Amino acid sequence: DQQVKQNSPSLSVQEGRISILNCDYTNSMFDYFLWYKKYPAEGPTFLISISSIKDKNEDGRFTVFLNKSAKHLSLHIVPSQPGDSAVYFCAANTGRRALTFGSGTRLQVQP
Amino acid sequence: DAGVTQSPTHLIKTRGQHVTLRCSPISGHKSVSWYQQVLGQGPQFIFQYYEKEERGRGNFPDRFSARQFPNYSSELNVNALLLGDSALYLCASTSRENTEAFFGQGTRLTVV
């Protein structure tokens, strides 16, 4: 039973445009959501997070939106840069417990 | 400050053997978690330790075990290795104050 789903395995965007990565979850007990970025042969790197009491969090070019009623979150990257090309994982947890990850979306930013 | 460090970075083992993977958390972090990532999937939770006590265990067989030492470093042990244990094993540390987990570069285990 996949509690965190990333239904798009890949996404390609042009440099300078917006990248939107989507994530759905089923467990209503999740209270914290995170996005990680992963390059080949490296561990995941933390990008941005959001608590379930908020609906938006922004950090530079990265913004995460949370829609609790739809159990949906998204990561917006504006403007996209070639260095953003990586696999992006959505993750969630409850009360500082272990993270549950989605299967990832491979983002390719074309110069 | 050093990040999360894992050793070794790569390892090749034969079916039936035993393996020990090591992890040192970020200085000041008392919680360590282990994850397994197979190709095409997201990391799957194996164990979580806080202050040397097991706080959580994922859906993995008893061949997998772990422990945390007084200096908060951790070991993951896998007995009777199977081909399906081939994966990237990730260690993450978390501070008391924050929820974000910070990952090491992982250990790539290949079982032949």
Side-chain angles (χ1 to χ4, degrees):
Chain A
D1 177 28
Q2 256 192 308
Q3 297 187 60
V4 177
K5 297 180 184 178
Q6 293 177 257
N7 292 318
S8 298
S10 64
L11 174 68
S12 183
V13 300
Q14 289 294 123
E15 180 178 5
R17 308 293 286 266
I18 184 171
S19 295
I20 300 177
L21 296 98
N22 294 302
C23 178
D24 296 295
Y25 63 95
T26 58
N27 188 342
S28 57
M29 298 299 290
F30 286 143
D31 58 9
Y32 208 75
F33 303 89
L34 307 91
W35 284 94
Y36 285 83
K37 171 178 170 179
K38 187 177 185 302
Y39 294 115
E42 294 184 12
T45 302
F46 170 72
L47 267 179
I48 192 168
S49 60
I50 187 167
S51 162
S52 59
I53 63 173
K54 296 185 176 181
D55 54 19
K56 177 182 174 181
N57 189 26
E58 207 169 340
D59 183 1
R61 297 187 297 115
F62 302 92
T63 303
V64 56
F65 295 92
L66 175 62
N67 182 335
K68 281 182 292 183
S69 60
K71 292 190 175 69
H72 177 84
L73 65 155
S74 61
L75 174 68
H76 292 209
I77 306 173
V78 182
S80 301
Q81 299 173 355
D84 295 329
S85 298
V87 178
Y88 288 77
F89 290 100
C90 168
N93 72 352
T94 306
R96 297 175 184 272
R97 299 210 177 267
L99 295 169
T100 300
F101 283 85
S103 55
T105 296
R106 181 176 300 279
L107 173 66
Q108 184 78 30
V109 180
Q110 308 284 354
Chain B
D1 273 346
V4 178
T5 57
Q6 292 186 242
S7 63
T9 55
H10 295 83
L11 200 53
I12 299 175
K13 288 284 190 178
T14 305
R15 276 178 297 175
Q17 284 188 315
H18 162 270
V19 69
T20 298
L21 310 181
R22 295 178 174 83
C23 171
S24 293
I26 292 171
S27 177
H29 286 196
K30 299 180 179 180
S31 178
V32 169
S33 299
W34 287 94
Y35 294 81
Q36 180 197 65
Q37 186 183 14
V38 299
L39 202 60
Q41 297 182 21
Q44 299 291 313
F45 169 65
I46 311 175
F47 286 106
Q48 182 182 39
Y49 277 79
Y50 179 74
E51 289 274 19
K52 301 175 290 269
E53 291 192 4
E54 183 181 302
R55 289 299 179 92
R57 172 185 286 251
N59 188 23
F60 280 80
D62 292 344
R63 300 183 295 107
F64 288 76
S65 63
R67 54 181 175 167
Q68 187 177 32
F69 299 99
N71 66 353
Y72 305 111
S73 67
S74 178
E75 281 182 357
L76 175 70
N77 295 282
V78 187
N79 291 323
L81 285 166
L82 304 174
L83 295 179
D85 295 331
S86 296
L88 180 67
Y89 287 85
L90 295 161
C91 174
S93 75
T94 313
S95 71
R96 179 182 177 87
E97 294 76 21
N98 299 306
T99 305
E100 296 82 11
F102 296 90
F103 285 83
Q105 83 282 8
T107 294
R108 171 70 61 185
L109 172 65
T110 303
V111 182
V112 297

